[in-house]
């Protein structure tokens, strides 16, 4: 493995995630941004932009492509095509389809001598690593994953469809009671409904607020099963304080080690979700490029990646400093 | 790699760590406890006990030996001898000597076709993994490690040497101000002295308490540089509430991802420190045995171990469940 060889990276897709990946690749000392593949002819960037259908022409110039594509349709439709041409890293987040996706990417990558890193980011991704490692410590582990405080796209959209709502965002927040129960090993009965509460911040005419609040908190599936609060604010306050993309979450694992209780907790607090997802993707892109150079072809999940491969720092230095 | 082959484990050394390892190996579905190597002829256990100097006779019956030996002298003097005979996993915690220890164990293990997993436990160990992975996410990370709440052996001993102290324990506790500073990315100026405060719980005659308190808080190096509180309790309360071996700690990593702040935190709260250290050692023993079977010989730190190798659950099942 050549620790010092620079990594030539490219990006496919230029939404929020692609733009975050662009700035983070530029910030790495060991990576160069070769360009951005897009179906659009003009992007707001000074990086080289290549038509997505010209990808094959760049195969010799790129070590790894970051697939910054949507999980709903783009990844299922396009990812194997990329894996035939390049070593790739994706943030596919359809948990139930990760085994199928890994199998498809493995076939496409392996047949072409490439490496495909699947399901990076933070959940799946760093949370997956933590779930596996923490559970492995206990003969019988109790494990709970919480999300938030986080702005939820789907629930915010649902609120915005209520007549009279001018602006709205929905925050998912872990329940304090559920967090405390999980930490003391009593998390077995926590459900998605009791683990989280929902906080809606909306802009609406004062005369409509009571009707809107009622319509939100009784909305089936979205809000009715949850503890939900609705706060109305001015347009000015909304624009000042509720335009961000914060997110976070935590994995809490407990277990009895033969008469003693231990609690392992891994938590994230993120001002801007796509930036952090891209940060994890960039680190796993480094691992993918290094694994490909050392002959490890096929698809890999984050569970199969040794930690030092994520770091630009040489292994000997990491051992001297971090271990 | 044969996922289903059972792992034949043995223990060398039978102090607190060895006893915790014994109960945890017995609790694993995929491991058998072959026996315990000890220099003492009789141990309080129903497991087979072998004289330490008979180790070579058991080389064919054991897949991995957990070295439950002290870091001060036993590991430096004896570990390479074990690595010549067996695949091993240790909890050597002399951070500054980990590179040298790894090099010595690598030579001993490699020459004999064995695998030596060095510096497992939680710090070094799980904290090392978290430091490397979290730092790798940021172009420029700020990282702080805190210890506690934890009972400190060395500081408790120092208090017990003060004349008139009948019983004493010292707890190291992270400073709330330092924790908050680290979480918001202002941890650069935190030192070991400002990161922690010290809490002493002692038993002494009432007439001597003021003099003892003064002698403790002014003790150079141990207490003088820290915020230190001394609480006196009755013998009964001491025996009821202060006989345990609690410990814990956290690694907090923050960084700017191009205009947004992210905070990654990994924390442990442990009722009994040796149980958790042994839990990590047992999981890495599994990894060592599996890596040896797949031909990965020589010494490895925790940074070089793929997460799934710690788990008794087959990789396909982990991918379907945890990713």
């Amino acid at each position: 493995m050549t620790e010092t060889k620079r990594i030539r990276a490219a990006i496919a897709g230029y939404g929020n995630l692609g733009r975050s990946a662009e700035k983070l690749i530029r910030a790495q000392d060991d990576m160069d941004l070769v360009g951005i593949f897009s179906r659009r002819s003009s992007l707001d960037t000074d990086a080289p932009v290549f038509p997505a259908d010209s990808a094959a022409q760049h195969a010799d110039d790129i070590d790894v492509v970051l697939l910054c594509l949507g999980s709903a349709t783009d990844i299922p439709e396009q990812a194997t095509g990329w894996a035939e041409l390049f070593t790739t890293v994706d943030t596919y987040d359809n948990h139930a389809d990760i085994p199928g996706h890994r199998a498809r990417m493995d076939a496409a990558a392996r047949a072409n001598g490439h490496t495909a890193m699947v399901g990076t980011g933070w959940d799946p991704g760093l949370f997956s690593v933590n779930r596996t490692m923490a559970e492995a410590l206990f003969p019988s582990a109790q494990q709970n994953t919480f999300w938030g405080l986080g702005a939820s796209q789907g629930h915010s959209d649902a609120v915005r469809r209520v007549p009279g709502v001018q602006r709205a965002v929905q925050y998912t927040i872990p329940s304090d009671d559920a967090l405390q129960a999980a930490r003391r090993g009593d998390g077995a009965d926590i459900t998605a409904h009791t683990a989280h509460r929902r906080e809606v911040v909306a802009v609406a005419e004062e005369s409509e607020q009571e009707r809107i609040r009622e319509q939100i908190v009784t909305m089936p599936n979205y809000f009715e099963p949850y503890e939900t609060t609705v706060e109305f604010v001015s347009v000015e306050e909304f624009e000042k304080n509720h335009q961000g993309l914060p997110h976070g979450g935590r994995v809490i694992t407990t277990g009895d080690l033969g008469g003693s209780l231990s609690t392992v907790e891994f938590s994230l607090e993120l001002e801007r979700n796509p930036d952090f997802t891209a940060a994890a993707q960039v680190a796993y892109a480094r691992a993918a490029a290094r694994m490909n150079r050392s002959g490890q072809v096929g698809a890999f999940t984050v569970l199969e990646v040794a930690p030092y491969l994520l770091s630009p720092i040489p292994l000997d230095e990491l051992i001297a400093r971090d271990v």
Side-chain angles (χ1 to χ4, degrees), chain A:
Chain A
M1 195 172 308
T2 310
E3 300 269 0
T4 51
K5 197 177 164 197
R6 295 182 68 77
I7 294 167
R8 300 169 300 171
I11 292 168
Y14 202 63
N16 277 338
L17 182 63
R19 283 191 291 272
S20 290
E22 178 187 16
K23 70 182 171 184
L24 286 165
I25 290 170
R26 290 182 195 271
Q28 307 298 317
D29 288 337
D30 62 340
M31 287 193 188
D32 296 307
L33 179 63
V34 178
I36 298 166
F37 292 103
S38 174
R39 289 174 168 185
R40 284 178 282 167
S41 56
S42 143
L43 300 181
D44 181 22
T45 175
D46 57 5
V49 178
F50 310 127
D53 57 15
S54 76
Q57 300 167 28
H58 299 275
D60 293 339
D61 310 324
I62 295 169
D63 296 315
V64 58
V65 175
L66 283 76
L67 303 181
C68 298
L69 305 167
S71 288
T73 56
D74 289 352
I75 288 286
E77 289 174 4
Q78 302 167 26
T80 54
W82 289 102
E84 288 167 7
L85 293 170
F86 301 98
T87 281
T88 61
V89 54
D90 67 56
T91 62
Y92 187 51
D93 68 2
N94 181 346
H95 293 262
D97 189 41
I98 293 277
H101 176 61
R102 179 177 180 278
R104 293 186 293 273
M105 293 295 276
D106 190 65
R110 195 178 291 275
N112 294 280
H114 298 139
T115 304
M117 193 69 68
V118 304
T120 76
W122 60 271
D123 195 359
L126 301 175
F127 273 21
S128 317
V129 169
N130 189 270
R131 280 191 288 262
T132 289
M133 292 185 69
E135 189 190 21
L137 302 171
F138 299 99
S140 179
Q142 170 60 41
Q143 191 165 70
N144 296 90
T145 298
F146 296 87
W147 294 274
L149 181 150
S152 160
Q153 195 63 43
H155 285 75
S156 298
D157 287 345
V159 173
R160 285 190 285 259
R161 286 191 294 265
V162 173
V165 171
Q166 297 164 22
R167 309 284 291 274
V169 61
Q170 193 262 200
Y171 299 109
T172 303
I173 301 172
S175 145
D176 283 335
D177 288 349
L179 288 176
Q180 296 310 326
R183 287 181 184 130
R184 65 172 184 262
D186 291 338
D189 297 329
I190 296 173
T191 65
H193 292 166
T194 60
H196 301 97
R197 62 188 178 86
R198 300 192 177 281
E199 192 171 293
V200 174
V201 177
V203 178
E205 292 297 328
E206 198 168 343
S207 61
E208 308 212 81
Q209 291 180 359
E210 268 320 297
R211 192 256 311 154
I212 288 170
R213 183 192 314 273
E214 187 62 20
Q215 239 177 303
I216 291 169
V217 301
T218 59
M219 200 183 292
N221 304 319
Y222 279 87
F223 294 102
E224 190 276 321
Y226 294 88
E227 181 191 334
T228 300
T229 57
V230 182
E231 184 191 1
F232 291 97
V233 299
S234 66
V235 178
E236 294 71 30
E237 187 183 333
F238 191 93
E239 293 190 343
K240 185 173 165 216
N241 295 326
H242 299 284
Q243 301 267 58
L245 295 168
H247 218 313
R250 55 193 71 225
V251 179
I252 299 176
T253 310
T254 60
D256 173 13
L257 296 175
S260 72
L261 181 76
S262 300
T263 303
V264 181
E265 184 161 343
F266 179 71
S267 67
L268 299 174
E269 193 173 329
L270 315 173
E271 278 186 357
R272 199 167 175 280
N273 194 14
D275 285 347
F276 191 77
T277 301
Q281 187 180 21
V282 168
Y284 279 99
R286 175 178 294 115
R290 293 168 78 176
M291 288 170 73
N292 188 259
R293 278 182 197 159
S294 68
Q296 294 176 271
V297 301
F300 297 88
T301 62
V302 294
L303 304 184
E304 298 156 83
V305 179
Y308 83 94
L309 291 169
L310 304 180
S311 174
I313 298 169
L315 176 60
D316 284 349
E317 198 178 325
L318 287 176
I319 291 173
R321 218 182 46 170
D322 286 353
V323 180

